[in-house]
Amino acid sequence: MASWSPSPFPLLAGLLSFLLLCRPSATSTTPSGGIHHSLIRKPSSPEIPLFREAPAFRNGEACSSPLSNATIHVAMTLDANYLRGTMAAVLSILQHSTCPENFEFHFLFVQLEPEVLSSINSTFPYLRFGVYRFDPNRVRGKISKSIRQALDQPLNYARIYLADLIPTDVRRVVYLDSDLVVVDDIAELWQVDLEGKVLAAPEYCHANFTKYFTELFWSDPVLARTFEGRRPCYFNTGVMVVDVEKWRQGGYTQKVEEWMAVQKQKRIYHLGSLPPFLLVLAGNIKPVDHRWNQHGLGGDNLEGKCRALHPGPISLLHWSGKGKPWLRLDSRKPCTVDHLWAPYDLYRSSKPSLEE
């Protein structure tokens, strides 16, 4: 678990802590026994980046027990524009896992270019994963324009339909955005006791919850009573542990859709797919430690200005907001925190190929 705390040299201390913890917790090998970063064939589409092959991460000795041998399901969206982020996220998960062979990834897509699939296969030859198409017609006419165009894409709403897309025998899943890296063993998050709740995530009860909804919402006497009997707190939907079975049984997809329909009639929020989640679940989730989502590193949704890390332990770094680390690094105008993402970047031009 990475930890940053105030010091006379906060940047230096943070980077040193990070580098010490970037050592993989699982054995990293290739069939030849050495590190081998190979280049994949250039895809036909110039918009699909090239990636180096990641090392093959193997289970440690502690993975032999029945409890440690359980499959850990991780769901993410898959999009050519965010593929570089997805690759880095997957690498970070495997690198810091004690039992990396236990993972099964579930990638949701709207349009899957063949080059994207071949890039995943070439970069992670040993990865267990499935791909599932999200039909954008499911949200046709339901999406309201938000403050940032990226938030209005149908794939951004796929998490609402996650339980309908992945195999029915999957009972629990960790949902992750593509603009993050994990610096701890995510099995700890996976194993959280949901205590009967449908969802677990870090809660931020000091945030101004009222700002996520419009004045029209709060001035409506019926709508304003939505949270009666609950103590609603903001949570970020980019990192969630979901009881998929309970989600299906409780009809939560339909509950979220109902609020999306209200939004089409009345402008009750401005921020994409997050507010309807809050309307349905805020104040009724299992809170987990804040270290599992150090979010907001991409700045706000309008300008994406640089932000500093919050003090304290960190297990996951999340570039939610407008600024993405790979874009800022490529522009040669990175924020300090973007250098913490860079070691997981498998993009071919980001560093020379290694042969051993």
Side-chain angles (χ1 to χ4, degrees):
M1 173 172 60
S3 177
W4 283 265
S5 56
S7 73
F9 305 98
L11 173 58
L12 179 60
L15 289 174
L16 285 174
S17 298
F18 179 81
L19 291 173
L20 284 171
L21 285 149
C22 264
R23 293 175 297 180
S25 55
T27 306
S28 172
T29 63
T30 63
S32 61
I35 299 174
H36 178 79
H37 285 227
S38 60
L39 304 182
I40 63 174
R41 182 177 299 175
K42 185 175 182 180
S44 58
S45 172
E47 297 179 358
I48 307 297
L50 302 172
F51 299 93
R52 295 183 304 280
E53 182 180 325
F57 296 98
R58 300 302 188 190
N59 282 0
E61 293 182 3
C63 304
S64 57
S65 69
L67 182 62
S68 301
N69 203 31
T71 299
I72 298 175
H73 296 277
V74 176
M76 305 177 72
T77 56
L78 195 59
D79 178 83
N81 294 322
Y82 282 79
L83 185 57
R84 191 166 166 188
T86 302
M87 295 292 201
V90 172
L91 175 63
S92 71
I93 292 168
L94 298 177
Q95 179 171 320
H96 292 284
S97 172
T98 304
C99 306
E101 294 180 89
N102 291 3
F103 282 87
E104 184 171 342
F105 287 81
H106 305 271
F107 295 117
L108 316 179
F109 70 93
V110 167
Q111 181 179 355
L112 185 64
E113 296 88 345
E115 293 85 358
V116 171
L117 193 58
S118 65
S119 291
I120 295 174
N121 281 317
S122 299
T123 307
F124 299 103
Y126 306 98
L127 195 68
R128 281 197 296 157
F129 70 92
V131 294
Y132 313 90
R133 183 175 184 269
F134 172 60
D135 184 357
N137 288 322
R138 295 201 65 171
V139 290
R140 189 178 300 279
K142 298 176 183 175
I143 296 177
S144 301
K145 187 176 181 181
S146 65
I147 61 174
R148 184 159 62 93
Q149 186 177 5
L151 301 177
D152 300 338
Q153 302 306 308
L155 193 57
N156 192 49
Y157 289 78
R159 71 196 77 191
I160 298 169
Y161 302 89
L162 179 62
D164 299 333
L165 299 173
I166 62 177
T168 55
D169 61 346
V170 176
R171 297 188 174 185
R172 174 182 289 216
V173 70
V174 178
Y175 177 86
L176 299 174
D177 276 349
S178 296
D179 52 357
L180 55 79
V181 292
V182 178
V183 294
D184 207 344
D185 192 340
I186 205 169
E188 184 179 338
L189 179 62
W190 161 264
Q191 293 166 357
V192 64
D193 183 358
L194 288 170
E195 298 179 356
K197 304 297 186 182
V198 70
L199 186 150
E203 277 188 328
Y204 303 91
C205 295
H206 296 296
N208 182 5
F209 189 78
T210 60
K211 73 177 183 179
Y212 293 100
F213 304 97
T214 64
E215 185 177 342
L216 177 62
F217 175 86
W218 294 113
S219 63
D220 186 302
V222 176
L223 295 176
R225 291 199 298 268
T226 299
F227 298 104
E228 280 189 359
R230 291 190 267 166
R231 182 173 178 259
C233 296
Y234 163 75
F235 66 91
N236 181 279
T237 56
V239 179
M240 302 183 290
V241 182
V242 182
D243 184 327
V244 186
E245 196 170 41
K246 189 177 290 291
W247 181 281
R248 295 186 186 110
Q249 293 171 351
Y252 283 90
T253 294
Q254 290 72 32
K255 292 177 181 179
V256 174
E257 284 183 324
E258 287 170 5
W259 280 111
M260 292 168 65
V262 174
Q263 166 74 350
K264 295 296 289 187
Q265 301 299 320
K266 302 178 180 181
R267 188 73 173 174
I268 60 173
Y269 55 79
H270 297 298
L271 198 62
S273 63
L274 169 64
F277 263 92
L278 297 178
L279 286 161
V280 175
L281 289 162
N284 195 27
I285 69 169
K286 165 66 177 180
V288 298
D289 197 287
H290 288 179
R291 65 188 173 91
W292 284 109
N293 195 353
Q294 173 92 208
H295 68 286
L297 301 183
D300 58 35
N301 281 296
L302 297 175
E303 300 181 46
K305 292 183 178 179
C306 294
R307 288 182 178 174
L309 294 171
H310 299 295
I314 296 173
S315 295
L316 185 150
L317 297 154
H318 187 189
W319 279 261
S320 57
K322 185 177 181 180
K324 302 307 173 190
W326 55 93
L327 297 177
R328 296 195 296 212
L329 287 163
D330 286 353
S331 71
R332 299 185 184 278
K333 296 179 181 179
C335 299
T336 301
V337 294
D338 297 340
H339 295 290
L340 303 178
W341 179 89
Y344 302 99
D345 188 11
L346 291 168
Y347 185 52
R348 181 184 179 225
S349 65
S350 63
K351 62 184 78 169
S353 174
L354 298 177
E355 292 279 350
E356 189 173 291

